[in-house]
Amino acid sequence: MMIRVIHSLGWLPKQTTVYQEPRQVASQGWTLLELAIVSVIAGILASLAIPSMMAMAAKSKVQAGLAQVKGALQEAQRSAIRMGKECRVSVNAGSNPPSIAVVDSSYAGCLSQTVVLTDLSMLENFNGANIRFSYKGNTNNWGTIIIHSPNTTTRHCLVISALGIMRSGVYTGTVADATSAYSDNCKSSL
């Protein structure tokens, strides 16, 4: 009651109601035009990036194939030294897919598993298809192995000397056939 009296005397300001516009809620989505523009830009970027990513994957596959071949030959060499007997492995470059395997059961223990290079090509210029490692780790069959893929121009190589020393690198020469695989074109850059 006291508040009514004070209010009626004018000592308190009258309550006024202020009209406020209804607040607009911010838009919470994308328009069709914005989505179309983003989709076009993403498509252009993908069309530029996918070929280079595929080339990188092919280069990586060639490098991994070389690592497998080198690892298999080094394993055969170490096994010959460890067992104190000759180890022979067969380099099947002409087969599809190329592979490296133990020659026959008399050389069991020389290689833990056959190496198969899927989606890769291999060239070699060894004198014969078999590589023999003596109990000392040297070999009578030296030459060059080239690993490449049809999806890239990069070719990796492995050179084996008569002493059984192996070096790998990038093959810089042209290759018409296996006889043109020269060790001088295997540049050690790996």
Side-chain angles (χ1 to χ4, degrees):
M1 175 85 169
M2 179 87 123
I3 292 180
R4 276 189 195 170
V5 171
I6 294 174
H7 194 298
S8 63
L9 292 174
W11 292 344
L12 287 176
K14 289 185 178 180
Q15 288 183 335
T16 59
T17 53
V18 177
Y19 177 75
Q20 294 180 349
E21 290 284 327
R23 282 201 268 161
Q24 294 222 347
V25 178
S27 175
Q28 300 255 345
W30 295 42
T31 66
L32 187 58
L33 179 62
E34 289 170 333
L35 287 174
I37 291 171
V38 168
S39 298
V40 167
I41 291 172
I44 291 170
L45 290 176
S47 69
L48 295 174
I50 288 175
S52 63
M53 288 175 47
M54 290 179 65
M56 278 193 328
K59 285 179 184 181
S60 176
K61 189 167 187 120
V62 170
Q63 195 168 4
L66 176 71
Q68 284 182 305
V69 168
K70 186 175 182 180
L73 294 175
Q74 286 175 334
E75 179 185 357
Q77 185 181 36
R78 284 190 305 268
S79 295
I81 294 169
R82 181 178 37 83
M83 294 186 304
K85 69 174 194 169
E86 179 180 287
C87 276
R88 286 188 188 193
V89 292
S90 173
V91 177
N92 304 312
S95 64
N96 190 10
S99 63
I100 296 181
V102 173
V103 173
D104 59 42
S105 61
S106 63
Y107 297 103
C110 290
L111 201 56
S112 60
Q113 64 184 10
T114 299
V115 173
V116 178
L117 303 176
T118 55
D119 299 330
L120 293 174
S121 298
M122 179 168 51
L123 295 171
E124 51 87 13
N125 65 354
F126 292 101
N127 191 11
N130 296 335
I131 299 176
R132 178 189 70 85
F133 291 103
S134 74
Y135 70 95
K136 293 180 181 179
N138 54 8
T139 182
N140 67 340
N141 200 354
W142 48 272
T144 305
I145 297 174
I146 300 171
I147 309 289
H148 62 96
S149 168
N151 301 328
T152 182
T153 58
T154 302
R155 293 180 297 264
H156 289 281
C157 52
L158 177 69
V159 178
I160 303 172
S161 72
L163 295 175
I165 299 170
M166 297 180 210
R167 74 174 164 88
S168 56
V170 175
Y171 195 77
T172 57
T174 58
V175 180
D177 59 6
T179 59
S180 64
Y182 298 112
S183 62
D184 294 342
N185 293 329
C186 188
K187 306 296 181 191
S188 295
S189 64
L190 293 176

